[in-house]
Amino acid sequence: SAFANWEVNRLHHKKPSRMKAFLIAASLIALPGLVFAHGGAMGPTKVRMDAMVSTKDSLSRLQKATTGTELDRAAAEQSLAELRTFAAALPTLFEEKHLPVMSEALPSIWENAEQFDTEIRFFAEQVDLAQAQLDDNPSQVLRTVAAGCASCHDKFREKKQ
């Protein structure tokens, strides 16, 4: 599947830095909370949730690479590549309507599939725009990608209380 290819590509990184190792350790400590938060999700819902968690990691690395005194171009480009692959995989993650109680996905994803597809394309366009901003405006890169995320989440994700 596209998600499996995306996950394989994402895992072929260089040796983690100390900070990355710390973040990985902290994530493992938090893992029981994530499992609980996913409420025992299985099947397509779990695959979607896992993909969103991985994307959150890519966004965190993108933030680190583009904010600070010096742009880490290699890390930013790697994160953007992961996000581009994720955007390509998004349609397959929502092929099957699977909405258990713990899912934050709204039925409107399938009820208004044309608008959902438009939002996915907008997200991909924002990732491409962010790539173009690396040279001239790296501090804007994360905001650009986040606008693509928010556009879809605002319409197709259950609001957290």
Side-chain angles (χ1 to χ4, degrees), residues 1-4 6-8 10-11 27-28 30-59 61 82-83 85-86 89-90 93-94 98 100 102-105 153 157:
S1 78
F3 177 70
W6 170 71
E7 191 66 16
V8 168
R10 191 181 70 76
L11 293 174
S27 297
L28 290 174
L31 186 60
L34 285 174
V35 170
F36 179 73
H38 283 180
M42 301 172 91
T45 299
K46 175 142 178 34
V47 171
R48 289 193 306 254
M49 289 177 165
D50 289 347
M52 296 297 171
V53 169
S54 293
T55 299
K56 186 176 177 183
D57 294 342
S58 295
L59 290 168
R61 287 190 304 278
E82 292 167 5
L83 292 166
T85 302
F86 172 71
L90 268 170
L93 294 174
F94 289 93
H98 192 257
M102 79 286 298
S103 178
E104 294 177 356
H153 285 188
R157 181 179 176 204

Side-chain angles (χ1 to χ4, degrees), residues 70-91:
E70 193 172 315
L71 170 67
D72 182 344
R73 176 173 289 283
E77 287 180 348
Q78 177 64 39
S79 294
L80 289 169
E82 292 167 5
L83 292 166
R84 204 171 287 108
T85 302
F86 172 71
L90 268 170

Side-chain angles (χ1 to χ4, degrees), residues 104-131:
E104 294 177 356
L106 293 174
S108 56
I109 290 170
W110 298 277
E111 294 163 359
N112 193 353
E114 188 175 309
Q115 178 64 38
F116 184 66
D117 291 343
T118 298
E119 296 302 333
I120 290 173
R121 283 191 304 278
F122 178 72
F123 172 68
E125 291 165 1
Q126 292 301 101
V127 172
D128 290 341
L129 176 58
Q131 178 73 44

